[in-house]
Amino acid sequence: MAFARLRLVFTSVFLLVSTPLIAQDVLFKSANVLDIKSGKFNKNQDVLVRGGKIVRIGKLKAQPETIIIASAEKYLVPGFTEMHAHVRPFWGGDSKLHEHLFLFNAFGITTIRGMLGHPSHLKVRRQLKDNEISGPRLITSGPSFNGNSIVSKGQAAKRAKAQFEKGYDFIKIHPGMSDAEFQSVAKQAYALKFDFSGHVTAETGILKSIELGQGTIEHLDGIFAELSLRSGNRDFSGMGFFGTGLVNTINRKHIKDLASELAQSNVYLVPTQTMVWGYVSPESPAELAQKPRYKLVTDSELNNWKRAKSRLQNDEYYSKELIAEYMAIRLEFLKEYIQAGGRVLLGADAPQVFNIPGDSLHEEMMWMRDAGMSSIEILRSTTIQPAKFLKRESEFGSIKTGKSADLVLLDANPLEDISNTREIAGVMTRGVWLSKSEIGKRLADMRRR
């Protein structure tokens, strides 16, 4: 009896090296399992995990050596994907990197797309894949293409080919390239079938960037410039933070048409509403920093965030009224885009200003709810849709036999209320289980620093 009780409560103590756990079978017993395609839960299902993979789903009998996770009246969903994350360069023994990776996992994120690559990330990606360190699967760009790193068309093409050959997953586009340089990158990337995603190059503009094959547009970048252009403005010298300086040049009548055009294209938008609001909201940085959630980051991180937010609030064009209009335009555009069938991938751009790894993705879900997405649409935008975009649908994104055991066990039904994604009973990443009690203990330790 004692052994049976022991098997019903399993708490992971493997935070860095987790191979011993993966060697054991784990059974989620009597869970409600989400079929992400149909959008319905299959009730009272058992899910067997072996060697980091889902091997059986149904009514199963546990073997004596199997670790059982009691899941009755709980909800098992695919692990979440953060499509716009930032990962620190890894210099070895970097505790902050491990803290960030843990935070992503603690909030249910089992895959991250690193949007500011570094050569060290190739090693981190491998270590995560092999479970030498714990944390979400890493999809990484190379170092970004921007106005400083790119100096000519020829160099741009060579750099794109070099990143492909080094094994990065995609090219990250930052501002500053000329249109000719951007087109050179796009042409080389297209020839290599190598994704390029990120910001919009100002000389090129959003519509041409999409036409040239840019995979994702982050932050709604380029949209305010295009709306301003259609409204008759020709002076973009005061664009501000992602178009905040253009608010008074925009006629809202153009929003629906532009949203429809983008919805009919092949592009995916990663709006990062949470990051944008963290920067532009009128709240006092000092007062905002007092909120309990920000005890999860260090004082140095928090001080950097306060300074960055203060700088933006001190810009001459900044006002509460302008920011209210800016966020209203963003939300109106998203509503029109989603209603027209536009494709969204969930990303919150953490860690950024007042934007905590993991936690912020759940905030992004609330923004997408306000933009008109249903709960199942939001869940798909952070599970199966990212997997399809990354051409790794056979590996993760849904709960199917043969796929990676990337799972989130919830205490409440997220289809009834998307905020229930915060009700986490445990997270499994590539077969490594992190229980609610272990998550709580680690988070409490971080808050006490």
Side-chain angles (χ1 to χ4, degrees):
M1 287 295 293
F3 181 70
R5 287 196 299 271
L6 180 64
R7 291 191 293 114
L8 287 172
V9 181
F10 177 68
T11 300
S12 169
V13 296
F14 300 95
L15 295 175
L16 296 179
V17 180
S18 48
T19 304
L21 174 59
I22 290 180
Q24 295 174 283
D25 289 358
V26 178
L27 184 68
F28 292 87
K29 190 67 179 172
S30 303
N32 296 305
V33 178
L34 181 62
D35 181 330
I36 198 69
K37 184 176 180 180
S38 71
K40 298 178 180 179
F41 280 99
N42 296 319
K43 297 181 179 180
N44 298 317
Q45 297 291 296
D46 303 332
V47 178
L48 180 64
V49 174
R50 178 179 298 148
K53 301 284 188 182
I54 299 167
V55 294
R56 290 185 66 189
I57 302 172
K59 296 292 185 180
L60 309 176
K61 183 177 180 180
Q63 299 301 310
E65 68 276 10
T66 303
I67 294 168
I68 297 176
I69 299 175
S71 306
E73 299 183 5
K74 298 185 187 298
Y75 300 84
L76 195 65
V77 302
F80 307 136
T81 296
E82 162 62 273
M83 283 295 285
H84 195 121
H86 287 283
V87 180
R88 292 168 58 83
F90 184 60
W91 307 114
D94 187 344
S95 61
K96 192 174 287 186
L97 170 66
H98 289 295
E99 283 186 359
H100 288 173
L101 293 176
F102 164 74
L103 283 171
F104 282 120
N105 262 176
F107 289 96
I109 295 167
T110 57
T111 299
I112 57 176
R113 186 174 67 144
M115 294 298 288
L116 187 59
H118 185 272
S120 65
H121 292 163
L122 295 173
K123 180 179 179 180
V124 174
R125 182 182 65 184
R126 181 193 60 77
Q127 289 177 316
L128 287 164
K129 180 177 181 292
D130 294 341
N131 287 300
E132 293 176 13
I133 60 175
S134 69
R137 174 186 294 99
L138 174 60
I139 311 296
T140 184
S141 72
S144 82
F145 284 56
N146 57 66
N148 295 320
S149 64
I150 300 302
V151 297
S152 69
K153 293 191 299 181
Q155 182 248 1
K158 288 179 181 177
R159 199 165 189 260
K161 185 176 182 183
Q163 288 199 359
F164 176 79
E165 291 174 345
K166 287 177 181 177
Y168 292 105
D169 295 302
F170 66 102
I171 292 169
K172 169 63 185 287
I173 304 296
H174 261 132
M177 284 187 287
S178 69
D179 179 52
E181 289 165 347
F182 177 81
Q183 291 206 45
S184 181
V185 174
K187 182 178 179 181
Q188 181 64 274
Y190 179 81
L192 296 169
K193 296 183 179 179
F194 192 30
D195 176 49
F196 58 102
S197 288
H199 293 240
V200 170
T201 300
E203 280 192 19
T204 307
I206 189 169
L207 297 178
K208 193 173 180 182
S209 297
I210 293 169
E211 183 182 331
L212 289 167
Q214 185 160 326
T216 66
I217 302 293
E218 316 297 304
H219 322 300
L220 305 190
D221 195 13
I223 287 171
F224 275 70
E226 181 63 25
L227 288 172
S228 180
L229 183 66
R230 294 184 181 197
S231 302
N233 180 46
R234 297 297 181 269
D235 179 8
F236 296 92
S237 58
M239 186 175 296
F241 181 78
F242 291 116
T244 47
L246 299 176
V247 166
N248 293 326
T249 72
I250 290 173
N251 186 327
R252 287 201 191 190
K253 72 178 184 179
H254 298 291
I255 290 175
K256 185 171 184 177
D257 286 346
L258 180 59
S260 179
E261 287 176 45
L262 265 61
Q264 292 169 30
S265 74
N266 291 321
V267 78
Y268 286 81
L269 297 185
V270 185
T272 69
Q273 290 282 90
T274 306
M275 179 279 291
V276 171
W277 183 243
Y279 267 99
V280 307
S281 71
E283 297 168 277
S284 159
E287 292 178 4
L288 193 56
Q290 298 302 312
K291 292 188 176 182
R293 70 172 60 177
Y294 297 116
K295 291 183 181 295
L296 290 174
V297 299
T298 63
D299 288 343
S300 63
E301 286 176 292
L302 204 52
N303 288 332
N304 287 337
W305 292 357
K306 288 191 288 185
R307 284 192 290 269
K309 189 172 180 66
S310 293
R311 283 195 298 270
L312 190 142
Q313 289 182 339
N314 289 328
D315 281 346
E316 61 181 0
Y317 71 84
Y318 184 93
S319 71
K320 291 182 179 179
E321 294 75 20
L322 180 139
I323 293 305
E325 179 70 5
Y326 173 71
M327 295 304 296
I329 291 172
R330 289 181 67 94
L331 196 59
E332 182 179 347
F333 176 86
L334 281 170
K335 286 179 177 179
E336 293 288 356
Y337 175 77
I338 290 164
Q339 189 172 351
R343 299 183 293 181
V344 171
L345 299 175
L346 223 63
D349 199 356
Q352 288 278 9
V353 172
F354 293 101
N355 204 7
I356 298 169
D359 173 79
S360 57
L361 192 74
H362 297 272
E363 293 297 307
E364 193 71 13
M365 292 181 188
M366 298 299 101
W367 281 104
M368 295 305 102
R369 179 197 63 188
D370 293 345
M373 292 180 72
S374 68
S375 292
I376 188 59
E377 287 171 337
I378 294 169
L379 288 170
R380 287 171 181 151
S381 74
T382 190
T383 56
I384 194 62
Q385 292 301 334
K388 286 180 177 179
F389 172 80
L390 296 166
K391 298 180 175 61
R392 298 175 78 162
E393 186 184 0
S394 63
E395 183 181 349
F396 64 93
S398 60
I399 303 175
K400 300 285 186 182
T401 57
K403 289 197 175 186
S404 180
D406 300 333
L407 306 164
V408 183
L409 189 64
L410 301 172
D411 286 322
N413 188 341
L415 297 182
E416 293 177 355
D417 185 340
I418 194 61
S419 67
N420 286 335
T421 56
R422 288 188 175 276
E423 302 298 320
I424 293 174
V427 181
M428 177 171 278
T429 306
R430 300 183 307 280
V432 180
W433 174 244
L434 195 59
S435 71
K436 184 175 185 175
S437 60
E438 183 60 31
I439 291 169
K441 179 179 180 298
R442 285 289 304 275
L443 293 178
D445 288 344
M446 293 174 72
R447 292 186 182 103
R448 281 193 292 265
R449 283 178 307 200

